[in-house]
Amino acid sequence: MTGPPRPTRPTGPLRPTRPQSSTERLARLLYAALGPTALVFGLLCLGTVLEQAWELQRSWSVAAWLLIFGLPMLLAVLSRRVSLRVLRVIALAEGALFVVLLMFWLTVRAEPLPAGADIPWAITLTGVPVMAVAVTTRDRTAWAYLVLVCTMSGLLRAATSTDPYPVLVGVEDGLYSFLLLSMLVGLTTMARRSAGKVDQAATFARVQLVGRADRLARKRERLTIDALVHDSVISTLLMAGRGGTPVPVLSRHAADTLVRLDALRAPLPDPSMPGPQVTRRLQQLVEELAPDAQITSNLPGTLTVPALAVTALLGAVGEALRNSVAADVREPVRSPVARTLTVRSYQGGIRVAVHDDGVGFDPARVPAERLGIAQSIIGRMERLSGGAAAVRSRPGAGTEVVVSWTPAPAAPSAPAPPVPALSTAPPTPPRPATQLKGVTRLPRALSTSILVGFIAVHAVLAFADGEPLWTLPYEILGFVAVSAAAAWLTLVVPDPVSPRNAVMVLALCGLSAVATAFPVPPVGSTPFAHWYLGAITMMLVVLAVRGRPGFAWYGYGMIMVISIAWALLNGLTLLDGVNLAIRHAGTLLAGTLFAVGLKRSTQTLAGLNRERARSGAAAATAAAALEERETQLTRVNTLARPTLERLANLLQGDALQINPLQIDALQIEPTLRTESLLVEATLRDAIRGRSLFVEPVISAARAARIRGVDVTLLDDSADRPPRQLAAAAVIVAAQLDALTHGHLIARLLPADRPTIASIVVDAGEPRMLTVTPDGLLQPSL
């Protein structure tokens, strides 16, 4: 009989498209937001473009307008279709072309424009190329570009202004542009940093989850195979080594064990088993292990039990019967032990109770290294989906073992998928830090700096233009109201902004607009007489990005109404009032798109990261289970298969010439019995002392057992072997090599102990040794 061929690792599906990272998703989101923003600004300034175009080169002005506004719209269209490299090239082209356009105005058209229309159309869209560059480049480059274009914008405004103080107008324009755009650039850079942190956190969470899934799959696979080894391999080898088992029974056990090992190595789909067939399998098990036991069953023919559940139930019941029979051998009682097996349908599944009235035992005093109850009964059923087990016993009162399987409830929309053999579902992924937290609120230092700049810039805009003294109290009231709103929103109000706080901000902004607007004359006002509109727009942008876009647009409607009311009260048309506030819509739109898109993107990203982690854990579970199964079965087959094959072939060859009546009198060779006990002890070492099951301990333990030494290897490290495991193994092997008789127990200790291993030697004079964390041997105190 030869070992089965190694299974071929299943071919997985085609590699999926690389999932987007948080940084990439954020970049694409911001590129997409540039399109609508540029469209609004472009349409608002189209009339100005036509008015300021040179008569002989009007087509060139329109072409420049199309190019400057067309590239951001192209970015939006391509944001989900092309690579980030292509998007970056387009964004950088936008930034470079805008600088070229400003240079053209400064060098060729640096002359005053007509009064009332002295704002070059180019500087009305400064925010679009600034945001494009901020999304594309590093933080320092983005800030440097912001300073450059705001400076050029201020110089251009000063060169084209018809105001008596053009330099002041240029300074005010440049400062206001820098203030407004610094907030947007700050939000962009913070979002990008936060996205990088999210990627790191998500990667770390996935690594942790995959590692946990790998460890869990390996442990469960190992325990499953250990249970089979304990129930089938070790029990067969013990029967052979201790003698007394009829050769036909021993040979059949060995052959069945080889079949089970082969089935584990290349598991095949096995249909569910009907209730009566399950009963027959249990009756056969009873006949083999405890012929004196009585079995009763009421399993209906309509009941079907998955093959995986049947295998687990048979293994657990078989271990219970073996323990019951072994207890009689260890501690014989005066009267015969009565054993019963009761099989009943249970909650759509099956329940088996094994009861005897033997000597019993105290479950609390069972050593941890004993595998029968912990792994072959309770552990085996706990690893089965829907499985359960309980062991009840006390000295002198017999023992009862109850094992059961119940089907999982079916999902409402679809049946639950079948549970794969020797595997388990991957652990549920935790919720890693997949939200771009902290993006909507700038760092304290940056937000405070912007607040100081906000107050300072608007102080210049409000009081540096020489308005009439009778308007000063209204200017002060408006300035104080909007500054208070900014300070309160920046320094006091937490995220997310509550509706109550949002209403308070809008109330202060409304007070500022009313107090500042109505004293402004309809003609002859200073260039920044309506400075409050820009200030309030900044407050609305902050509300939008901090979770209240609806309130932000309510606020915009409020200032639109105030602007129209101001225009009508001063004899102007409704369109004049609309034009006064409409140019701030693009700024608020940009902030709203940033906020809403970021929220949706992070929600999607959270789900994608969880799904990615779940997929990674599932893949790790499958791969680890397959690899661990192959490793463990290779070890078991290497150690036990030759001996099991010899036992399975006992009735072949010369034995077939013996009279059938003499078969029960056959005895196996002493050398085979000795070899069976050695292999059985080695397998126990591999299960109970897993971390110590390394060379040179393996060879030293086998040689010591041949000399008559009783060897016990135990591992209590809970899959956390010490760093100096190799040194500890050398020490244990040396102690084994020095013994010619007696008993040795070597135990790896838990990680929280001051020593990593203990060695108890009893060869006439008991002594205990310990191994220090440095790998040194010392006598125990």
Side-chain angles (χ1 to χ4, degrees):
M1 186 179 296
T2 59
R6 293 176 179 266
T8 303
R9 187 180 296 269
T11 302
L14 294 177
R15 180 176 295 181
T17 305
R18 180 185 62 85
Q20 292 182 356
S21 65
S22 305
T23 305
E24 181 176 349
R25 288 184 63 85
L26 176 66
R28 293 184 183 276
L29 162 70
L30 295 178
Y31 285 135
L34 287 175
T37 305
L39 178 62
V40 171
F41 278 113
L43 294 177
L44 289 176
C45 74
L46 179 57
T48 307
V49 171
L50 298 176
E51 291 176 1
Q52 295 178 354
W54 284 0
E55 292 296 332
L56 298 179
Q57 298 181 354
R58 183 177 298 272
S59 59
W60 286 99
S61 298
V62 175
W65 174 82
L66 288 174
L67 192 59
I68 293 299
F69 288 107
L71 287 178
M73 296 179 67
L74 181 62
L75 282 173
V77 172
L78 300 178
S79 61
R80 297 181 180 273
R81 294 176 173 83
V82 301
S83 66
L84 281 182
R85 177 175 297 181
V86 174
L87 296 176
R88 292 189 184 103
V89 171
I90 298 174
L92 291 175
E94 167 74 5
L97 288 173
F98 184 69
V99 172
V100 171
L101 179 61
L102 292 180
M103 288 296 299
F104 170 81
W105 275 84
L106 284 172
T107 57
V108 179
R109 299 200 61 186
E111 57 188 22
L113 294 172
D118 58 350
I119 303 177
W121 67 266
I123 66 175
T124 61
L125 61 127
T126 306
V128 175
V130 166
M131 290 298 296
V133 172
V135 175
T136 304
T137 62
R138 296 181 178 179
D139 295 353
R140 291 184 179 181
T141 304
W143 287 104
Y145 184 83
L146 173 63
V147 172
L148 172 64
V149 296
C150 288
T151 302
M152 297 177 69
S153 174
L155 292 174
L156 179 57
R157 181 67 195 280
T160 59
S161 175
T162 57
D163 190 83
Y165 305 98
V167 175
L168 178 60
V169 173
V171 171
E172 291 175 335
D173 188 278
L175 288 176
Y176 176 76
S177 297
F178 181 81
L179 174 64
L180 175 62
L181 297 178
S182 65
M183 181 177 64
L184 297 179
V185 171
L187 288 171
T188 302
T189 56
M190 286 306 302
R192 195 165 51 198
R193 291 181 186 179
S194 184
K197 293 179 180 179
V198 167
D199 286 337
Q200 293 177 358
T203 301
F204 180 72
R206 285 197 300 273
V207 169
Q208 281 190 317
L209 183 64
V210 168
R212 187 156 60 92
D214 182 282
R215 292 190 298 272
L216 179 61
R218 290 180 185 278
K219 182 175 181 180
R220 293 176 70 94
E221 194 74 20
R222 188 170 62 248
L223 292 176
T224 300
I225 295 177
D226 286 349
L228 171 70
V229 171
H230 180 270
D231 296 349
S232 299
V233 181
I234 288 180
S235 62
T236 301
L237 294 172
L238 277 178
M239 285 191 295
R242 292 173 177 174
T245 302
V247 170
V249 174
L250 179 60
S251 180
R252 185 171 65 251
H253 270 281
D256 290 344
T257 298
L258 289 171
V259 170
R260 293 184 183 182
L261 286 174
D262 295 346
L264 275 179
R265 190 164 221 174
L268 297 174
D270 197 355
S272 297
M273 190 176 297
Q277 187 175 350
V278 176
T279 300
R280 287 194 295 271
R281 292 287 300 273
L282 288 169
Q283 289 173 339
Q284 181 182 359
L285 186 67
V286 169
E287 291 173 1
E288 292 181 356
L289 300 179
D292 59 339
Q294 299 295 320
I295 178 171
T296 60
S297 173
N298 70 345
L299 296 184
T302 56
L303 173 67
T304 57
V305 184
L308 184 65
V310 173
T311 301
L313 288 167
L314 291 174
V317 171
E319 180 63 19
L321 291 174
R322 277 189 292 269
N323 288 344
S324 177
V325 174
D328 290 349
V329 175
R330 290 193 303 268
E331 301 182 36
V333 294
R334 295 179 181 179
S335 59
V337 175
R339 298 182 180 87
T340 60
L341 208 73
T342 306
V343 187
R344 296 287 184 267
S345 59
Y346 173 70
Q347 296 182 0
I350 181 174
R351 180 179 184 271
V352 183
V354 181
H355 180 270
D356 70 43
D357 58 358
V359 295
F361 65 98
D362 183 359
R365 301 186 63 181
V366 177
E369 61 268 16
R370 294 292 298 274
L371 303 174
I373 294 177
Q375 294 301 333
S376 294
I377 298 178
I378 297 177
R380 169 183 273 119
M381 297 308 298
E382 287 180 346
R383 290 190 295 273
L384 173 68
S385 177
V391 178
R392 293 183 284 271
S393 182
R394 58 191 178 93
T399 301
E400 183 179 51
V401 176
V402 179
V403 294
S404 63
W405 169 82
T406 56
S413 58
V419 180
L422 296 176
S423 184
T424 182
T428 301
R431 293 183 176 266
T434 51
Q435 298 290 330
L436 300 181
K437 295 181 178 179
V439 175
T440 58
R441 190 160 191 171
L442 298 175
R444 189 77 172 186
L446 180 57
S447 61
T448 302
S449 300
I450 293 178
L451 173 62
V452 172
F454 178 90
I455 296 174
V457 169
H458 287 95
V460 173
L461 298 179
F463 306 116
D465 288 341
E467 287 84 355
L469 290 178
W470 71 270
T471 65
L472 187 59
Y474 301 100
E475 292 275 0
I476 294 174
L477 177 60
F479 173 75
V480 170
V482 76
S483 298
W488 188 55
L489 190 58
T490 302
L491 303 177
V492 179
V493 177
D495 274 340
V497 178
S498 66
R500 180 180 178 181
N501 288 331
V503 170
M504 290 294 296
V505 171
L506 294 184
L508 288 172
C509 290
L511 175 61
S512 174
V514 171
T516 309
F518 289 99
V520 177
V523 293
S525 59
T526 59
F528 289 92
H530 296 282
W531 60 267
Y532 59 90
L533 293 175
I536 293 173
T537 301
M538 289 189 65
M539 293 297 97
L540 300 181
V541 170
V542 173
L543 282 179
V545 298
R546 290 181 60 182
R548 294 297 172 185
F551 281 92
W553 284 98
Y554 293 153
Y556 181 77
M558 175 187 68
I559 63 174
M560 177 65 75
V561 170
I562 292 174
S563 298
I564 293 174
W566 172 85
L568 295 178
L569 289 175
N570 285 276
L572 302 177
T573 66
L574 183 145
L575 185 59
D576 291 327
V578 171
N579 288 334
L580 187 63
I582 193 66
R583 61 192 181 95
H584 296 283
T587 302
L588 182 55
L589 177 63
T592 303
L593 291 175
F594 180 93
V596 175
L598 185 63
K599 179 180 179 181
R600 293 180 180 178
S601 179
T602 54
Q603 289 174 346
T604 303
L605 182 65
L608 289 176
N609 278 338
R610 285 194 297 271
E611 184 59 32
R612 201 180 308 167
R614 187 180 293 109
S615 300
T621 297
L626 182 62
E627 182 178 348
E628 187 68 21
R629 180 190 311 164
E630 183 63 26
T631 300
Q632 296 296 325
L633 288 177
T634 297
R635 184 192 67 193
V636 173
N637 278 284
T638 300
L639 293 174
R641 179 170 285 273
T643 304
L644 290 173
E645 289 178 346
R646 292 178 62 188
L647 294 173
N649 295 331
L650 285 174
L651 296 181
Q652 298 180 8
D654 295 339
L656 293 178
Q657 307 300 322
I658 300 176
N659 190 307
L661 298 177
Q662 298 176 323
I663 289 180
D664 290 341
L666 287 177
Q667 298 292 328
I668 65 174
E669 300 176 358
T671 56
L672 183 55
R673 292 179 57 183
T674 301
E675 181 63 25
S676 297
L677 290 177
L678 283 174
V679 174
E680 182 271 339
T682 304
L683 289 174
R684 284 189 181 274
D685 289 343
I687 297 174
R688 299 187 303 184
R690 191 170 68 90
S691 296
L692 278 175
F693 193 70
V694 294
E695 291 292 353
V697 177
I698 298 174
S699 299
R702 179 180 176 84
R705 287 187 174 110
I706 293 175
R707 295 194 302 270
V709 180
D710 187 8
V711 180
T712 302
L713 302 180
L714 303 173
D715 181 8
D716 293 336
S717 66
D719 291 332
R720 297 171 59 190
R723 182 172 52 87
Q724 294 294 340
L725 176 62
V730 171
I731 292 174
V732 172
Q735 294 297 316
L736 287 169
D737 291 339
L739 290 178
T740 57
H741 65 283
H743 184 73
L744 181 143
I745 302 175
R747 184 190 302 266
L748 280 183
L749 300 176
D752 57 352
R753 300 291 181 85
T755 55
I756 63 175
S758 65
I759 304 173
V760 177
V761 180
D762 186 357
E765 182 180 349
R767 56 193 176 93
M768 181 173 180
L769 307 172
T770 58
V771 181
T772 67
D774 296 331
L776 302 177
L777 180 66
Q778 66 179 18
S780 180
L781 300 178

